């Protein structure tokens, strides 16, 4: 990669020592937060919940508290002298073209593109890869502030129609519509109360399958009430939602969630059944060639993860971790589902190799393999025989693979810490990759270096960690360092480009990303080692990463910040309460902070696979030991903290962050600021407008620059 980049480093000396000391001595007056007298007896223990009233996002009292907290926070942030220059540099660096991986539907080629600072990416259509593109759908026209985002997009086989969904203010709720691709006009179709769903078309283009919930009883319940009893419907194009056919429901199984998919040959309707975020799932089938075909079980033992990649008649090619914790590809014939009858096509890899994804393109398997948290791209014949490896530009990650079984090429995206996401086209006939779209970003990729280390956690387990920084870093223990983690739900943290992280490193900061247990970096066993009764391993891994960075002179506690979002917000909250002296600052974002009540809101109950069930005594006792809200202690000096959340977050409801910061402000000893930044018309993060992302990251970096005393 030889793009023409122009470096514009932001001066490291953002805050003088005098200003830094003034910050630490500054006394903040936090808004008074009323303490209620709620006390519950859970499994024989009295649990006080004085800030229970903050769980009501619609009350005038909560709204007034949010306004008061934001007033204090933004007053603090506005006094940071270099906040504006940080925002300016972030804006300049973010201003580059970002393309999505193209896909073909009928005679149309479809791709997304953000010109740079557009709040939402625009969907384009073209008659070929070289034809001039036209706008198909511009979400930026759906709201004045960019807070309505495209959340789903699916095309009919002939490319005539596009089913698309939008979400407002960051909510998980989706509203589906149907657009004619040729004319760009919407049909009258409108589908509401869909969530956690795609749209899968019948091959004749008559309509699509989708999943939804019953409508909330009231507007107030929409963002807080528990989501259960998901159902599968079929929507016929040109009809009202009330006429949609109920395809499948299980009123006897309120926790069952469903996703529908039609096989590429159009014959089978696959209904995937899941229970929360469990890895395990079931698959049900309907033969769409049979007018009287019934939905029947196919793989229903709920003993492993199963995903259909393709099929030949009634034989299905399936990726599974059954008897293969790092996944394999097997062929399973309908009616012969005993594992003894399966044929292994692509076996499980070595101890460090995880089969990350599989696609059936050009009548072969296009596979992504993850080794030590970075990826390789390999091709296998339809009988499972290894063919070749597609060379990648560097150590990094692959995403967005597109193509169909009949195609002769495929598209994929590659990214790494200093390699902006670039789209490649691979030609199966010439066996070569060429760049399709490569952005030009205002930075010098050669100014940074990446190192992967393996450090020992508390129990001796070796944990990988990426460390990225400007070349020439001096290991003197004084470098401001941002340690970012997640560690949960089988999700892997891999190398990826981030304009925000580049700005942090241009300021002389170190970015560290450990691959904690609980993630999917090494497959099922790695995930299992960091969930349920093993959840403390995740926190121990993160603490050990901090200690390694300090002992190896990258940084020191006063210069070390930690961050993470969602489950990563829980991670930050847990370690800052367990080892408050270890960190200089903390940035918990949209975190799960109340581990005793998380299951009582929206989709929170679905996380029991990782967190356990607080209504079960054994799980309650585990969660209570690390629940951030319940482990804050009065009179402790906690690190400077900036909590971030969104007032419309209906994934991890904002009450988690509200209650945590209220308790933290009451407990804090000393002058280190503990603040909350509550974004309005924003949710868990998906679909957040570019402008809001830049503003939030600018505030986070400014907060760290000031509180860490960066020279």
């Amino acid at each position: 990669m030889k793009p023409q980049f122009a470096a514009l480093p932001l001066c490291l000396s953002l805050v003088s020592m005098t200003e830094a000391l003034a910050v630490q001595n500054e006394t903040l007056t936090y808004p008074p937060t009323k303490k209620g007298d709620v006390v519950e007896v859970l499994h024989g223990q009295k649990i006080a919940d004085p800030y229970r009233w903050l769980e009501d996002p619609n009350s005038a009292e909560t709204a007034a508290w949010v306004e008061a907290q934001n007033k204090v926070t933004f007053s603090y942030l506005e006094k940071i002298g270099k906040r504006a220059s940080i925002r300016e540099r972030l804006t300049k660096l973010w201003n580059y073209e970002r393309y999505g991986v193209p896909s073909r539907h009928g005679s149309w080629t479809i791709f997304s593109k953000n010109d740079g600072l557009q709040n939402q990416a625009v969907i384009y259509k073209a008659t070929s890869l070289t034809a001039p593109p036209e706008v198909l759908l511009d979400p930026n026209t759906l709201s004045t502030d960019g807070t309505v985002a495209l959340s789903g997009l699916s095309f009919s086989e002939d490319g005539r129609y596009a089913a698309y969904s939008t979400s407002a203010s960051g909510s998980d709720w989706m509203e589906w519509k149907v657009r004619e691709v040729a004319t760009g006009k919407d049909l009258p179709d409108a589908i509401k109360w869909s969530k956690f769903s795609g749209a899968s078309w019948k091959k004749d283009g008559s309509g699509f399958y989708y999943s939804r919930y019953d409508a909330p009883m009231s507007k107030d319940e929409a963002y807080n009430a528990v989501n259960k009893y998901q159902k599968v419907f079929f929507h016929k194009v040109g009809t009202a939602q009330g006429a949609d056919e109920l395809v499948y429901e299980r009123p006897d199984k309120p926790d069952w969630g469903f996703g529908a998919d039609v096989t590429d040959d159009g014959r089978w309707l696959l209904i995937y059944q899941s229970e929360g975020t469990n890895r395990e799932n079931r698959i049900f089938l309907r033969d769409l060639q049979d007018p009287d075909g019934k939905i029947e079980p196919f793989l229903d033992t709920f003993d492993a993860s199963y995903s259909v990649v393709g099929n030949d008649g009634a034989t299905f090619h399936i990726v599974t971790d059954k008897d293969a914790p790092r996944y394999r590809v097997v062929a399973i014939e309908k009616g012969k589902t005993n594992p003894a009858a399966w044929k292994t096509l692509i076996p499980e890899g070595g101890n460090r190799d995880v089969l990350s994804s599989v696609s059936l393109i050009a009548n072969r398997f296009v596979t992504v393999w993850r080794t030590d948290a970075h990826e390789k791209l390999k091709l296998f014949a339809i009988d499972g025989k290894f063919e070749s490896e597609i060379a990648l530009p560097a150590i990094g990650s692959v995403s967005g693979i597109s193509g169909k079984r009949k195609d002769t090429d495929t598209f994929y995206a590659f990214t790494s810490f200093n390699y902006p996401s670039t789209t490649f086209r691979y030609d199966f006939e010439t066996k070569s990759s060429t760049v399709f779209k490569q952005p030009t970003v205002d930075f010098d990729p050669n100014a940074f270096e990446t190192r992967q280390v393996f450090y020992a956690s508390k129990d001796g387990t070796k944990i990988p960690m990426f460390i990225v920084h400007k070349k020439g870093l001096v290991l003197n223990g004084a470098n401001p360092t941002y340690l970012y983690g997640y560690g949960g739900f089988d999700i892997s943290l891999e190398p990826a480009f981030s304009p925000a992280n580049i700005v942090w490193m241009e300021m002389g900061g170190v970015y560290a990303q450990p691959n904690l247990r609980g993630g999917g970096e090494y497959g099922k066993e790695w995930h299992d080692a960091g969930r349920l009764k093993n959840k403390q391993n995740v926190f121990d891994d993160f603490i050990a990463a901090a200690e390694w960075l300090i002992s190896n002179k990258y940084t020191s506690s006063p210069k070390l910040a930690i961050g993470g979002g969602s489950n990563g917000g829980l991670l930050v909250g847990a370690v800052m309460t367990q080892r408050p002296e270890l960190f200089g600052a903390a940035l918990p974002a949209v975190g799960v902070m109340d581990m005793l009540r998380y299951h009582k809101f929206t989709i929170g109950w679905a996380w029991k696979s990782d967190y356990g069930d607080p209504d079960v005594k054994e799980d309650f006792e585990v969660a209570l030991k690390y629940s951030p809200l319940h482990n804050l202690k009065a009179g402790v000096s906690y690190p400077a903290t900036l909590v971030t959340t969104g007032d419309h977050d209906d994934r991890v409801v904002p009450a988690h962050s509200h209650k945590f910061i209220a308790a933290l402000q009451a407990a804090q000893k000393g002058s280190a600021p503990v603040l909350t930044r509550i974004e309005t018309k924003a949710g868990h993060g998906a679909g957040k407008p570019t402008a809001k992302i830049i503003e939030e990251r600018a505030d986070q970096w400014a907060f760290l620059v000031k509180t860490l005393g960066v020279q």
Side-chain angles (χ1 to χ4, degrees), residues 465-526:
M465 176 166 59
F466 292 105
I467 305 174
V468 196
H469 51 75
K470 285 170 62 174
K471 291 180 178 177
L473 183 79
V474 178
L475 299 181
N476 58 7
N479 301 297
T481 298
Y482 181 60
L483 177 64
Y484 177 84
Y486 188 80
F489 297 99
D490 197 31
I491 293 173
S492 301
L493 291 187
E494 298 162 359
F497 182 75
S498 163
N501 289 342
I502 294 296
V503 171
W504 173 250
M505 292 185 291
E506 285 179 343
M507 294 189 292
V510 176
Y511 176 76
Q513 180 175 293
N515 298 105
L516 314 173
R517 282 175 286 184
E521 286 83 354
Y522 292 108
K524 182 179 185 298
E525 293 167 348
W526 196 252

Coordinates of all heavy atoms in Angstrom, one line a residue, residues 465-526:
M465 N -1.7 -9.8 23.4 CA -2.1 -8.4 23.4 C -1.3 -7.7 22.3 O -0.1 -7.8 22.1 CB -1.7 -7.8 24.8 CG -1.9 -6.3 24.9 SD -1.9 -5.6 26.6 CE -0.2 -6.1 27.1
F466 N -2.1 -6.8 21.6 CA -1.5 -6.0 20.6 C -1.1 -4.6 21.2 O -1.9 -4.1 22.0 CB -2.5 -5.7 19.4 CG -2.8 -6.9 18.6 CD1 -4.0 -7.6 18.7 CD2 -1.9 -7.3 17.6 CE1 -4.3 -8.7 17.9 CE2 -2.1 -8.5 16.9 CZ -3.3 -9.1 17.0
I467 N 0.0 -4.1 20.9 CA 0.5 -2.8 21.4 C 0.9 -2.0 20.2 O 1.7 -2.4 19.4 CB 1.7 -2.9 22.4 CG1 1.3 -3.9 23.5 CG2 2.0 -1.6 22.9 CD1 2.5 -4.2 24.4
V468 N 0.2 -0.8 20.0 CA 0.5 0.0 18.9 C 0.9 1.4 19.3 O 0.3 2.0 20.3 CB -0.8 0.1 18.0 CG1 -0.5 0.7 16.6 CG2 -1.5 -1.2 17.9
H469 N 1.8 2.0 18.7 CA 2.3 3.4 19.0 C 3.2 3.9 17.9 O 3.5 3.2 17.0 CB 3.1 3.3 20.4 CG 4.2 2.3 20.4 ND1 5.3 2.5 19.7 CD2 4.2 1.1 21.0 CE1 6.1 1.4 19.9 NE2 5.5 0.6 20.7
K470 N 3.5 5.2 18.1 CA 4.5 5.8 17.1 C 5.8 5.1 17.3 O 6.2 4.7 18.3 CB 4.6 7.3 17.4 CG 3.4 8.1 17.0 CD 3.4 9.6 17.5 CE 4.6 10.3 17.0 NZ 4.6 11.7 17.4
K471 N 6.5 5.1 16.1 CA 7.9 4.5 16.2 C 8.8 5.4 17.0 O 8.6 6.6 17.1 CB 8.4 4.4 14.7 CG 7.7 3.3 13.9 CD 8.3 3.3 12.5 CE 7.6 2.2 11.7 NZ 8.1 2.1 10.3
G472 N 9.7 4.7 17.6 CA 10.7 5.5 18.4 C 10.2 5.7 19.9 O 10.8 6.5 20.6
L473 N 9.2 5.0 20.3 CA 8.7 5.2 21.7 C 9.8 4.8 22.7 O 10.5 3.8 22.6 CB 7.5 4.2 21.9 CG 6.8 4.4 23.3 CD1 5.9 5.6 23.3 CD2 6.0 3.1 23.5
V474 N 10.0 5.7 23.7 CA 10.9 5.4 24.8 C 10.2 4.7 25.9 O 9.2 5.2 26.4 CB 11.6 6.7 25.2 CG1 12.5 6.5 26.4 CG2 12.3 7.4 24.1
L475 N 10.7 3.6 26.3 CA 10.1 2.8 27.4 C 10.6 3.4 28.8 O 11.6 2.9 29.4 CB 10.4 1.4 27.3 CG 9.8 0.7 26.0 CD1 10.2 -0.8 26.0 CD2 8.3 0.9 25.9
N476 N 10.0 4.5 29.2 CA 10.4 5.2 30.4 C 9.3 5.2 31.5 O 9.5 5.8 32.5 CB 10.8 6.6 30.1 CG 9.7 7.4 29.4 OD1 8.6 6.9 29.3 ND2 10.0 8.6 29.0
G477 N 8.2 4.4 31.3 CA 7.2 4.4 32.2 C 6.3 5.6 32.3 O 5.4 5.7 33.2
A478 N 6.5 6.5 31.3 CA 5.7 7.8 31.4 C 4.8 8.0 30.2 O 4.3 9.1 30.1 CB 6.7 8.9 31.5
N479 N 4.6 7.0 29.4 CA 3.8 7.2 28.2 C 2.3 7.1 28.6 O 1.9 6.1 29.2 CB 4.1 6.1 27.2 CG 5.6 6.2 26.7 OD1 6.0 7.2 26.2 ND2 6.3 5.1 27.0
P480 N 1.5 8.0 28.2 CA 0.0 7.9 28.4 C -0.5 6.7 27.6 O -0.2 6.6 26.4 CB -0.6 9.2 27.8 CG 0.5 9.7 26.9 CD 1.8 9.3 27.5
T481 N -1.2 5.8 28.2 CA -1.6 4.5 27.6 C -3.1 4.3 27.7 O -3.6 4.5 28.8 CB -0.8 3.4 28.2 OG1 0.6 3.6 27.9 CG2 -1.2 2.0 27.6
Y482 N -3.7 3.8 26.7 CA -5.1 3.5 26.7 C -5.2 2.0 26.5 O -4.9 1.5 25.4 CB -5.8 4.3 25.5 CG -7.3 4.1 25.5 CD1 -8.1 4.4 26.6 CD2 -7.9 3.6 24.3 CE1 -9.5 4.2 26.5 CE2 -9.3 3.4 24.2 CZ -10.1 3.7 25.3 OH -11.4 3.5 25.3
L483 N -5.7 1.4 27.5 CA -5.9 -0.1 27.5 C -7.3 -0.4 27.3 O -8.2 -0.1 28.1 CB -5.4 -0.7 28.8 CG -5.5 -2.2 29.1 CD1 -4.7 -3.0 28.1 CD2 -5.2 -2.5 30.5
Y484 N -7.6 -1.0 26.1 CA -9.0 -1.2 25.7 C -9.3 -2.7 25.7 O -8.6 -3.5 25.2 CB -9.3 -0.7 24.3 CG -10.6 -0.9 23.8 CD1 -11.7 0.0 24.1 CD2 -10.9 -2.0 22.9 CE1 -13.0 -0.2 23.6 CE2 -12.2 -2.2 22.4 CZ -13.2 -1.3 22.7 OH -14.5 -1.5 22.2
G485 N -10.5 -3.1 26.2 CA -10.8 -4.6 26.3 C -12.3 -4.8 26.2 O -13.2 -3.9 26.2
Y486 N -12.7 -6.1 26.0 CA -14.1 -6.5 25.9 C -14.3 -7.8 26.7 O -14.8 -7.8 27.8 CB -14.5 -6.7 24.5 CG -16.0 -7.0 24.3 CD1 -16.9 -5.9 24.4 CD2 -16.5 -8.3 24.2 CE1 -18.2 -6.1 24.3 CE2 -17.8 -8.5 24.1 CZ -18.7 -7.4 24.1 OH -20.1 -7.7 24.1
G487 N -13.8 -8.9 26.2 CA -13.8 -10.2 27.0 C -15.2 -10.8 27.3 O -15.5 -10.9 28.4
G488 N -15.9 -11.1 26.2 CA -17.2 -11.7 26.5 C -18.0 -12.1 25.2 O -17.6 -11.7 24.1
F489 N -19.0 -12.9 25.4 CA -20.0 -13.3 24.4 C -19.3 -13.8 23.1 O -19.9 -13.6 22.0 CB -20.9 -12.1 24.1 CG -21.7 -11.7 25.2 CD1 -21.3 -10.6 26.0 CD2 -22.8 -12.3 25.6 CE1 -22.0 -10.2 27.2 CE2 -23.6 -12.0 26.7 CZ -23.2 -10.9 27.5
D490 N -18.2 -14.5 23.2 CA -17.6 -15.1 22.1 C -17.2 -14.1 21.0 O -17.0 -14.5 19.8 CB -18.5 -16.2 21.5 CG -17.8 -17.2 20.5 OD1 -16.7 -17.5 20.8 OD2 -18.5 -17.6 19.6
I491 N -17.0 -12.8 21.4 CA -16.6 -11.8 20.4 C -15.1 -11.6 20.5 O -14.5 -11.5 21.5 CB -17.4 -10.5 20.8 CG1 -18.9 -10.7 20.5 CG2 -16.8 -9.3 20.0 CD1 -19.7 -9.5 21.0
S492 N -14.5 -11.5 19.3 CA -13.1 -11.4 19.2 C -12.7 -9.9 18.9 O -13.3 -9.3 18.1 CB -12.5 -12.3 18.1 OG -12.8 -13.6 18.4
L493 N -11.6 -9.4 19.5 CA -11.1 -8.1 19.2 C -9.9 -8.4 18.3 O -8.9 -9.1 18.7 CB -10.6 -7.4 20.5 CG -11.7 -6.9 21.4 CD1 -11.1 -6.0 22.5 CD2 -12.8 -6.1 20.7
E494 N -9.9 -7.9 17.1 CA -8.9 -8.1 16.1 C -8.3 -6.7 15.6 O -8.9 -5.7 15.9 CB -9.5 -8.9 14.9 CG -10.0 -10.3 15.3 CD -10.9 -10.9 14.3 OE1 -11.2 -10.2 13.3 OE2 -11.4 -12.0 14.6
P495 N -7.2 -6.8 14.9 CA -6.7 -5.5 14.4 C -7.7 -4.8 13.5 O -8.3 -5.4 12.6 CB -5.5 -5.9 13.6 CG -5.1 -7.2 14.2 CD -6.4 -7.9 14.6
A496 N -7.9 -3.5 13.7 CA -8.8 -2.7 12.9 C -8.4 -1.2 13.0 O -7.9 -0.8 14.0 CB -10.3 -2.9 13.4
F497 N -8.7 -0.5 11.9 CA -8.3 0.9 11.8 C -9.3 1.7 12.5 O -10.5 1.5 12.4 CB -8.3 1.3 10.3 CG -7.9 2.7 10.2 CD1 -6.5 3.1 10.3 CD2 -8.8 3.7 9.8 CE1 -6.2 4.5 10.2 CE2 -8.4 5.0 9.7 CZ -7.1 5.4 9.8
S498 N -8.8 2.7 13.3 CA -9.7 3.6 14.0 C -9.1 5.0 13.9 O -8.0 5.2 14.5 CB -9.8 3.2 15.5 OG -10.3 4.3 16.3
P499 N -9.8 6.0 13.3 CA -9.2 7.3 13.3 C -9.0 7.9 14.7 O -8.0 8.6 14.9 CB -10.3 8.1 12.6 CG -11.1 7.1 11.7 CD -11.0 5.8 12.5
A500 N -9.9 7.5 15.6 CA -9.7 8.0 17.0 C -8.4 7.5 17.6 O -7.7 8.3 18.3 CB -10.9 7.6 17.8
N501 N -8.1 6.2 17.4 CA -6.9 5.7 18.0 C -5.7 6.3 17.3 O -4.6 6.5 18.0 CB -6.9 4.2 17.8 CG -7.9 3.5 18.8 OD1 -8.4 4.1 19.7 ND2 -8.2 2.3 18.5
I502 N -5.7 6.6 16.0 CA -4.6 7.3 15.4 C -4.3 8.6 16.0 O -3.2 9.0 16.3 CB -4.9 7.5 13.9 CG1 -5.0 6.1 13.2 CG2 -3.8 8.3 13.2 CD1 -3.7 5.3 13.2
V503 N -5.4 9.4 16.3 CA -5.2 10.7 17.0 C -4.6 10.5 18.4 O -3.7 11.3 18.7 CB -6.6 11.4 17.1 CG1 -6.4 12.7 18.0 CG2 -7.1 11.8 15.7
W504 N -5.0 9.5 19.1 CA -4.4 9.2 20.4 C -2.9 8.9 20.3 O -2.1 9.4 21.1 CB -5.2 8.0 21.1 CG -4.6 7.5 22.3 CD1 -3.9 6.4 22.5 CD2 -4.5 8.2 23.6 NE1 -3.5 6.2 23.8 CE2 -3.9 7.4 24.5 CE3 -5.0 9.4 24.1 CZ2 -3.7 7.7 25.9 CZ3 -4.9 9.8 25.4 CH2 -4.2 8.9 26.3
M505 N -2.6 8.1 19.3 CA -1.2 7.8 19.1 C -0.4 8.9 18.6 O 0.8 9.1 18.9 CB -1.0 6.5 18.2 CG -1.6 5.3 18.9 SD -1.4 3.8 18.0 CE -2.5 4.0 16.6
E506 N -0.9 9.8 17.7 CA -0.2 11.0 17.3 C 0.1 11.9 18.4 O 1.1 12.6 18.4 CB -1.1 11.8 16.3 CG -1.2 11.1 14.9 CD -2.1 11.9 13.9 OE1 -2.9 12.7 14.4 OE2 -2.0 11.7 12.7
M507 N -0.7 11.9 19.5 CA -0.4 12.7 20.7 C 0.6 12.0 21.6 O 0.9 12.5 22.7 CB -1.7 12.9 21.5 CG -2.7 13.7 20.8 SD -4.1 14.2 21.8 CE -5.0 12.7 22.1
G508 N 1.2 10.9 21.1 CA 2.2 10.2 21.9 C 1.7 9.1 22.7 O 2.4 8.5 23.5
G509 N 0.4 8.8 22.6 CA -0.2 7.8 23.4 C 0.0 6.4 22.9 O 0.3 6.2 21.7
V510 N 0.0 5.4 23.8 CA 0.1 4.0 23.4 C -1.3 3.4 23.4 O -2.1 3.7 24.3 CB 1.0 3.2 24.4 CG1 1.0 1.7 24.2 CG2 2.4 3.8 24.4
Y511 N -1.6 2.6 22.4 CA -2.9 1.8 22.4 C -2.6 0.4 22.6 O -1.8 -0.2 21.9 CB -3.6 2.1 21.1 CG -4.9 1.3 20.9 CD1 -6.0 1.7 21.6 CD2 -4.9 0.1 20.2 CE1 -7.2 0.9 21.5 CE2 -6.1 -0.7 20.1 CZ -7.2 -0.2 20.7 OH -8.4 -1.0 20.6
A512 N -3.3 -0.2 23.6 CA -3.0 -1.6 23.9 C -4.4 -2.4 23.9 O -5.4 -1.9 24.5 CB -2.4 -1.8 25.3
Q513 N -4.4 -3.5 23.2 CA -5.6 -4.3 23.1 C -5.4 -5.8 23.4 O -4.9 -6.5 22.6 CB -6.1 -4.1 21.6 CG -7.4 -4.9 21.3 CD -7.9 -4.6 19.9 OE1 -8.3 -3.4 19.6 NE2 -7.8 -5.6 19.0
P514 N -5.7 -6.2 24.6 CA -5.5 -7.6 25.0 C -6.7 -8.4 24.5 O -7.8 -7.9 24.4 CB -5.4 -7.5 26.5 CG -6.2 -6.3 26.9 CD -6.1 -5.4 25.8
N515 N -6.5 -9.7 24.3 CA -7.5 -10.6 23.8 C -7.9 -11.5 25.0 O -7.4 -12.6 25.2 CB -7.0 -11.4 22.6 CG -6.7 -10.6 21.4 OD1 -5.6 -10.3 21.1 ND2 -7.8 -10.1 20.8
L516 N -8.8 -11.0 25.8 CA -9.2 -11.6 27.1 C -10.0 -12.8 26.9 O -10.7 -13.0 25.9 CB -10.0 -10.5 27.9 CG -9.4 -9.1 28.0 CD1 -10.4 -8.2 28.7 CD2 -8.1 -9.1 28.7
R517 N -9.9 -13.7 27.9 CA -10.8 -14.8 27.9 C -12.3 -14.4 28.0 O -12.5 -13.3 28.5 CB -10.5 -15.8 29.1 CG -9.3 -16.6 28.8 CD -8.9 -17.4 30.0 NE -8.2 -16.6 31.1 CZ -7.7 -17.1 32.2 NH1 -7.8 -18.4 32.5 NH2 -7.1 -16.3 33.1
G518 N -13.2 -15.2 27.5 CA -14.6 -14.7 27.3 C -14.9 -14.4 25.9 O -16.0 -14.4 25.5
G519 N -13.8 -14.0 25.2 CA -14.0 -13.7 23.7 C -13.9 -15.0 22.9 O -13.9 -16.1 23.4
G520 N -13.9 -14.8 21.6 CA -13.9 -15.9 20.7 C -12.5 -16.2 20.0 O -12.5 -16.9 19.1
E521 N -11.5 -15.5 20.5 CA -10.2 -15.6 19.8 C -9.7 -17.0 19.6 O -9.0 -17.3 18.6 CB -9.2 -14.7 20.6 CG -9.4 -13.2 20.5 CD -10.4 -12.6 21.4 OE1 -11.1 -13.4 22.1 OE2 -10.5 -11.4 21.4
Y522 N -9.9 -17.9 20.6 CA -9.5 -19.3 20.5 C -10.6 -20.3 20.5 O -10.4 -21.4 20.9 CB -8.4 -19.6 21.6 CG -7.1 -18.8 21.4 CD1 -6.8 -17.7 22.3 CD2 -6.2 -19.1 20.4 CE1 -5.6 -17.0 22.1 CE2 -5.1 -18.4 20.2 CZ -4.8 -17.3 21.1 OH -3.6 -16.6 20.9
G523 N -11.8 -19.8 20.2 CA -12.9 -20.8 20.1 C -13.7 -21.0 21.4 O -13.6 -20.2 22.4
K524 N -14.4 -22.0 21.5 CA -15.4 -22.3 22.6 C -14.7 -22.3 23.9 O -15.2 -21.8 24.9 CB -16.1 -23.6 22.3 CG -17.2 -24.0 23.3 CD -17.9 -25.3 23.0 CE -19.0 -25.6 23.9 NZ -18.6 -25.7 25.3
E525 N -13.6 -23.0 24.0 CA -12.9 -23.2 25.3 C -12.5 -21.8 25.9 O -12.5 -21.6 27.1 CB -11.8 -24.1 25.2 CG -12.2 -25.6 24.9 CD -11.1 -26.5 24.5 OE1 -10.0 -25.9 24.2 OE2 -11.3 -27.7 24.4
W526 N -12.0 -20.9 25.0 CA -11.6 -19.6 25.4 C -12.8 -18.8 25.9 O -12.7 -18.1 26.9 CB -10.9 -18.9 24.2 CG -10.1 -17.7 24.6 CD1 -10.4 -16.4 24.3 CD2 -8.8 -17.6 25.2 NE1 -9.4 -15.5 24.7 CE2 -8.4 -16.3 25.3 CE3 -8.0 -18.6 25.7 CZ2 -7.2 -15.9 25.8 CZ3 -6.8 -18.2 26.2 CH2 -6.4 -16.9 26.3

